[in-house]
Amino acid sequence: MKRILQSFLLVFCMVSLTLAPTTLRAQWNTNTSVNLEISGLPIADMVSVPTSDGKTWIAFYHENTGNYDMRAQLIDEDGFKLLGNDGILVSNQPSGTATFVFNACVDNSNNLIIGCQDERTGGMQAVLYKISPSGSHLWSSSGVILGSGMVPSMTALTNNEIAVSWNSDTGNTLRLQKITAAGTFAWANAVSLMVGASTTTRGQLIANTDNKFTIVYQKNAGGISTNLYAQMFNSSGTALYAPLQICSQTTAPYRYYSITAEADTTYFGYYSSTGFRFNSFVQRINPDGTIPYGMNGAAFNTYTSGTDNYQMETSIGLEPGSQFIWSVASFCDPNQTNYGVYVQKFLKSTGARQFTDMGKVVYPITANRDIMAG
């Protein structure tokens, strides 16, 4: 429980553009009025990832005289910094004048994998780094360059290889590649993800068994509208089923959603819009490419009219072997002025809601504007 609470307390905001540098802190002390300083450097966006042995990796941008250097810190379960006072330098390649979304994960040896982008060749290119718990580069210190583009998203497979997607500048389409544990391309050519003639964006990957993985991505539907699709791939990069639409409502290409898996079954928590309102769902994706909860998935909450409260940002979680999956969501009034937090529990097999059709109130919708943060 201590580790779970610490993971929830270490909550950070990942945004597309940095407005101002600040000092990086996280809550770890028993005195909740005193935060633990992770770095005293001026910092921008950051991502945290737990390890299997109770530690926590933090990857963060350091605003450094016009550049955004990538750094990393590792803290143990008691909050002690293991990589010096300000962490280690991962990359000081030219970044441009703004930060963009980056991602991180750990492999089965608790090595940190960072996926980001830089401008070392002029244009944006996606790159991966692999850092050991002792702070050493396990691949080249220049990283593994995926190709032109941005926003790499990764997952570590059971054999410590890394499946990664990124938004390629070529054709504005997602590319998919696998990196070996030694830091080389596993496939001769990256896989291009398209739905018919439609381009795609914002891939989110999760590992399954036997080095398979599932990716949920967004098909461009015009303007800032997208639709959600999913596919499972084997270790050779072969799709195990055709692009599978999992949502018929409108999603957005600038959002990331919540993904998890149990063996070869993947669950996806998200919110979407219909008309002027927002709704939250949990979708189940079976390994045979079916969605037993139906199109869109299991609704967090039922509503009868457009004046009912909106269901916004959603995060899901499960314990392997349990028959339930959980979802936490921010709710707001139709004017999106007052906010609160609700929780819902679903039966994994059918998607049946367990906390009535309305969900359970954690924080009521008020002018306090309490929201789900992780």
Side-chain angles (χ1 to χ4, degrees), residues 104-135:
C105 68
V106 294
D107 65 14
N108 299 310
S109 300
N110 289 322
N111 300 308
L112 176 67
I113 314 298
I114 302 174
C116 55
Q117 50 274 308
D118 61 49
E119 297 182 354
R120 71 183 75 177
T121 59
M124 283 290 183
Q125 60 182 3
V127 59
L128 297 185
Y129 298 92
K130 183 177 181 178
I131 309 297
S132 75
S134 65

Side-chain angles (χ1 to χ4, degrees), residues 135-200:
S136 300
H137 279 277
L138 297 179
W139 297 335
S140 167
S141 60
S142 297
V144 175
I145 299 172
L146 302 172
S148 64
M150 302 172 62
V151 196
S153 178
M154 314 81 64
T155 191
L157 306 181
T158 51
N159 64 354
N160 270 0
E161 293 183 324
I162 305 298
V164 57
S165 72
W166 71 100
N167 290 358
S168 174
D169 289 340
T170 306
N172 296 315
T173 298
L174 273 177
R175 295 287 191 268
L176 190 64
Q177 179 60 274
K178 190 177 71 169
I179 310 301
T180 68
T184 60
F185 291 145
W187 306 333
N189 298 295
V191 175
S192 294
L193 291 179
M194 298 187 72
V195 181
S198 298
T199 58
T200 58

